[in-house]
Amino acid sequence: MLMRTDPFRELDRLAQQLMGPGTWSKPAAMAMDAYREGDEYVVAFDLPGVSAEAIDIDVERNMLTVRAERRPVAKSDNVQMELSERPLGVFSRQIVLADTLDTEHIKADYDAGVLNLRIPIAERAKPRKIAIGGGSDHKEISG
């Protein structure tokens, strides 16, 4: 139900890690998992160290966009950084959603650095029975 738009995304992500932090014009990628659970899809994004207020989620037509920004922790003048490996800057991910998903009822929750989006399958995409009318026989066919 989820469609990948860029087969070279992992290569881009590796290159961005080597080139430095993401910016608003060229954001870095964020890791994600996607799976189906019953009648909805769950998409989980890793955003450790990002406050919920710094996350932006948009859906336009069938394009889901998640953007987040991790800023440096405020330091006083007497702090000397010894090691800095955690990426800072802007992170973004875009996913094309299938027409069979209900983009009007997406639910989002954020806990322990993981953003979870739950996207229900649209009612029109679920299997249903079709009644056949006319005549004295009234039959149902699975559709």
Side-chain angles (χ1 to χ4, degrees), residues 65-143:
T65 303
V66 177
R67 292 178 82 93
E69 183 174 11
R70 183 182 304 129
R71 296 185 177 111
V73 178
K75 300 176 189 88
S76 64
D77 291 337
N78 62 350
V79 172
Q80 179 179 344
M81 184 61 89
E82 296 292 332
L83 180 65
S84 180
E85 292 182 348
R86 298 185 315 149
L88 301 173
V90 180
F91 302 86
S92 180
R93 195 72 185 251
Q94 287 189 314
I95 304 169
V96 177
L97 302 176
D99 291 335
T100 56
L101 298 177
D102 184 356
T103 59
E104 297 293 321
H105 296 96
I106 296 174
K107 295 178 189 161
D109 65 74
Y110 185 62
D111 185 40
V114 178
L115 173 66
N116 284 297
L117 301 181
R118 294 188 165 278
I119 310 167
I121 295 173
E123 287 298 320
R124 61 181 159 66
K126 293 179 183 175
R128 60 192 180 281
K129 299 253 185 217
I130 306 295
I132 299 174
S136 60
D137 285 46
H138 186 72
K139 298 179 182 175
E140 288 191 0
I141 299 175
S142 294

Side-chain angles (χ1 to χ4, degrees), residues 10 13 29-33 44-47 91-93 115:
E10 288 300 313
R13 189 167 66 139
M30 64 183 83
M32 72 171 230
D33 290 335
F45 298 91
D46 280 348
L47 294 169
F91 302 86
S92 180
R93 195 72 185 251
L115 173 66

